[in-house]
Amino acid sequence: MYIYTQFGFSKKHSTVSKLARIFDHISHGYSLRKYTGMALLDLEKAYDTVWITGLLYKLIVLKVSEYLLFVLLSYLEGHTYTVHINDARSTPINPPAGLHQGAVLSTTLFTL
């Protein structure tokens, strides 16, 4: 049985919620004397390495409408970040690649 449920970026859900769901699934299988297998994948700094030009090319190949491409382009380009430590703040940094961390849309774009 495949039990996929998106818990990231969902209100009232967290990793604890996902772990509870997995534990329930394993416990249920154990009571039925069945085995449970699980495959996990964690890509380190995955969002930071997305090549924006390549992503836009894929969107064009997928025939995403032109107006949506322009919206996504404005979303993807020109973002900056700063580092805050106590009262100190770095100068804005413009990353050469990557998606916004913590944004729901980034999950979908990374999958593409």
Side-chain angles (χ1 to χ4, degrees):
M1 176 183 189
Y2 178 67
I3 56 166
Y4 174 81
T5 305
Q6 174 69 31
F7 280 82
F9 312 112
S10 300
K11 288 184 180 182
K12 298 183 182 180
H13 286 76
S14 67
T15 23
V16 174
S17 303
K18 186 62 173 183
L19 288 172
R21 174 84 52 97
I22 292 168
F23 180 80
D24 287 343
H25 180 75
I26 293 171
S27 297
H28 178 70
Y30 184 77
S31 68
L32 298 174
R33 303 178 75 81
K34 295 191 175 199
Y35 294 102
T36 301
M38 186 164 57
L40 303 170
L41 177 64
D42 182 17
L43 303 173
E44 184 177 344
K45 299 186 180 202
Y47 289 179
D48 296 340
T49 59
V50 173
W51 182 37
I52 300 303
T53 305
L55 175 60
L56 291 171
Y57 174 77
K58 286 182 181 182
L59 292 170
I60 291 168
V61 169
L62 290 170
K63 299 188 187 303
V64 171
S65 63
E66 188 175 333
Y67 75 91
L68 187 53
L69 281 173
F70 283 116
V71 170
L72 290 171
L73 182 62
S74 68
Y75 170 76
L76 294 169
E77 289 189 333
H79 66 279
T80 60
Y81 64 89
T82 55
V83 177
H84 300 252
I85 301 175
N86 296 327
D87 292 334
R89 181 179 295 177
S90 71
T91 57
I93 300 165
N94 189 1
L99 299 171
H100 299 282
Q101 297 291 323
V104 176
L105 183 58
S106 294
T107 305
T108 304
L109 293 173
F110 176 76
T111 302
L112 294 173

